[in-house]
Amino acid sequence: MPQARYKQLVDRLADDIRAGRLKPGTALPTHRKLAAREGISLATATRCYAELQAMGLVAGEVGRGTFVREPLPREQGLEMQVAQGDLVDLTFNYPALPAQTGLLRTALRQAASAGELESVLRYQPHGGRPHEKAAVARHLRSRGLSVTGEEVLIVSGAIHGLAATALALLQPGDVVAVDALSYPGFKVVAELCRLELVAIAAAATGPDLDALERLCRRRKVRAVFCMPTLHNPMGWVMPLAQRLALIALARRHGLLLMEDAAYAFLEQRAPPPLAALAPDITVYISSLSKSVATGLRFGFVRAPAAHQPAILRAIRATVWNTPSLVTSICCRWLEDGTVARLEREKRRDASRRQAIAAEALSGLKTRRHPASYFVWLPMPEDLRADAVAMRLREHKVLVSTAAPYAMTGRPPHAIRLALGSVSHEALAQALGRVVEVLRDLGG
């Protein structure tokens, strides 16, 4: 049986189980009956069931046969799960430096003694107070954006900024072009806002703009979601010429550009942001989740003046205003240089972690940026990503398959390794387990 057809059979059965067409407890054909039905050898039928079992989709019972397993709840699957207990988390990035706990303790003491403490108990302006927005604007100027405080809106993290932007500026049924592999959080936003995502194939350093042009001629595209500087999960940085070409295309077709810059601080030599090159058609969204701490939930949106009232209404409808205490601490850190220092230290930390990954994964095909917190690892031809993820979980290592990052269609067989949530020593050990599992499953 050709390799491609063998994979298609496993994929078809897996899709039927996940979609509920094959219910939990269903008895599957015997190995011999499957072989006869599909025109394959008995050994190949046995291998198909073994792979489904490795993926956690079926269970073989001696003397009884093979049965569909009760699937894990969606939020507890292999795809995107925060590690608990003794699991080593290579799924999420929440990079933290040893000194950060002390920084927070000091900031809380300062807040307790500050004259503005009483104000944190009251409602605040939906998009932030003027002095807070001015602090964010000064920070954004260091990232290449020429902005004032009036152009800034403060939100509860980048995902909230994306949701508020989509709620405010897009309508159910709108078509949004997105990289074929992209940030999973935007897929969730699109589902809630009932947007139609259309995947754009990737070129070497960004989306295939010829494919986007053909799409715009064929469909009424409303917006493009993109990560031009340090794309998650592919790690590319779009060169200036490609950014200018994207902007020209957007102007021709009347597109809104939604620029996600959550990881952009890790690349110091990037071209200007899209929002600097085309401020009238770009909404820029970022946060301090990766550069400071994920738990603080502090983000910011820079939007054209015409769009700000609508985004303000969306902020009001979702959180009213961001938590005042968190906002006060983050803005103080923006002003006193703490954020700039943490960004420098995390760039060095990410580079060290990439060096660990380069050594551990030597000889394997990867996609990665030398200063990022993640690695994209395509599977060898004969391996399935979900089987690898399941086996790694048995070895107490949690990874994500490509499924959460695939915007449409069947995801490729690959895993994404988040490098930023464990110690350097634990990272080296976990990556060693990844290599061992690949070797074991690959025979």
Side-chain angles (χ1 to χ4, degrees):
M1 184 180 188
Q3 182 73 18
R5 190 176 161 214
Y6 158 72
K7 285 189 171 183
Q8 289 172 5
L9 175 57
V10 176
D11 285 339
R12 190 173 77 238
L13 290 170
D15 287 345
D16 285 345
I17 293 169
R18 289 177 175 136
R21 291 185 288 271
L22 288 172
K23 304 296 184 184
T26 299
L28 297 177
T30 65
H31 294 211
R32 290 187 184 279
K33 287 183 178 179
L34 181 68
R37 188 185 78 185
E38 300 291 338
I40 59 178
S41 69
L42 180 60
T44 300
T46 300
R47 185 180 177 191
C48 285
Y49 280 157
E51 289 214 12
L52 291 169
Q53 187 164 348
M55 294 155 60
L57 297 176
V58 304
E61 299 183 20
V62 177
R64 295 191 63 225
T66 303
F67 297 85
V68 176
R69 289 183 58 179
E70 182 74 37
L72 289 169
R74 183 174 180 182
E75 69 273 10
Q76 295 178 17
L78 288 174
E79 313 305 353
M80 295 293 284
Q81 180 182 167
V82 176
Q84 297 180 0
D86 58 351
L87 289 172
V88 178
D89 192 354
L90 300 187
T91 300
F92 286 97
N93 275 315
Y94 33 94
L97 302 172
Q100 287 190 233
T101 302
L103 287 173
L104 179 59
R105 192 172 288 114
T106 299
L108 291 171
R109 283 197 297 265
Q110 290 173 341
S113 61
E116 65 171 353
L117 185 60
E118 185 179 351
S119 69
V120 306
L121 302 177
R122 297 194 292 266
Y123 286 131
Q124 305 295 335
H126 306 308
R129 294 178 289 182
H131 71 278
E132 294 163 343
K133 295 166 62 170
V136 173
R138 285 188 286 273
H139 171 67
L140 290 178
R141 287 198 285 272
S142 72
R143 293 192 179 182
L145 287 169
S146 178
V147 297
T148 64
E150 288 75 18
E151 298 173 86
V152 170
L153 302 172
I154 295 175
V155 291
S156 292
I159 186 68
H160 179 226
L162 287 171
T165 300
L167 284 168
L169 306 183
L170 302 175
Q171 297 295 322
D174 278 351
V175 175
V176 179
V178 62
D179 298 314
L181 294 165
S182 192
Y183 171 50
F186 187 68
K187 184 160 61 170
V188 176
V189 169
E191 290 173 357
L192 291 175
C193 295
R194 300 182 182 179
L195 306 175
E196 180 184 352
L197 297 184
V198 179
I200 304 299
T205 55
D208 183 336
L209 297 185
D210 290 336
L212 179 56
E213 179 73 42
R214 291 192 295 271
L215 172 64
C216 290
R217 291 174 181 172
R218 191 172 72 251
R219 302 285 308 277
K220 176 59 178 175
V221 180
R222 177 69 184 89
V224 178
F225 171 75
C226 56
M227 290 171 282
T229 302
L230 227 165
H231 182 277
N232 177 21
M234 303 310 292
W236 68 54
V237 176
M238 288 176 61
L240 178 60
Q242 193 172 8
R243 296 178 190 226
L244 294 174
L246 173 59
I247 289 168
L249 187 156
R251 293 195 186 283
R252 283 196 303 275
H253 295 283
L255 307 180
L256 174 72
L257 298 177
M258 299 173 67
E259 181 175 12
D260 184 333
Y263 282 102
F265 75 97
L266 291 168
E267 174 54 81
Q268 290 185 282
R269 295 180 293 277
L274 298 178
L277 299 169
D280 57 316
I281 60 171
T282 305
V283 178
Y284 179 97
I285 301 136
S286 191
S287 73
L288 300 188
S289 291
K290 307 307 179 185
S291 60
V292 179
T294 57
L296 292 178
R297 310 313 307 149
F298 179 86
F300 31 88
V301 173
R302 179 270 158 206
H307 295 325
Q308 289 208 13
I311 298 175
L312 273 172
R313 286 195 295 274
I315 295 171
R316 175 182 178 177
T318 49
V319 299
W320 186 275
N321 63 264
T322 56
S324 302
L325 181 60
V326 168
T327 300
S328 176
I329 290 172
C330 289
C331 289
R332 185 179 298 118
W333 282 349
L334 287 170
E335 294 281 70
D336 68 12
T338 297
V339 171
R341 176 167 60 82
L342 289 173
E343 289 184 347
R344 289 193 299 271
E345 292 177 1
K346 290 190 178 181
R347 282 191 288 268
R348 289 193 291 267
D349 178 62
S351 296
R352 287 195 293 270
R353 292 173 184 271
Q354 283 290 345
I356 292 170
E359 181 176 354
L361 304 176
S362 176
L364 296 176
K365 180 182 178 182
T366 61
R367 285 289 304 268
R368 59 193 186 87
H369 183 281
S372 78
Y373 273 113
F374 44 81
V375 173
W376 187 255
L377 180 59
M379 294 294 94
E381 181 65 25
D382 58 343
L383 289 185
R384 299 179 55 83
D386 29 18
V388 171
M390 179 67 76
R391 180 67 63 84
L392 282 168
R393 185 173 181 177
E394 294 171 358
H395 287 271
K396 307 298 184 183
V397 176
L398 202 62
V399 301
S400 173
T401 69
Y405 298 88
M407 293 295 110
T408 59
R410 182 165 288 155
H413 284 291
I415 59 176
R416 176 188 179 269
L417 303 171
L419 310 181
S421 302
V422 297
S423 69
H424 292 184
E425 181 181 3
L427 176 63
Q429 293 174 351
L431 294 176
R433 289 179 199 161
V434 171
V435 174
E436 290 172 5
V437 165
L438 291 176
R439 183 174 61 243
D440 292 345
L441 291 179

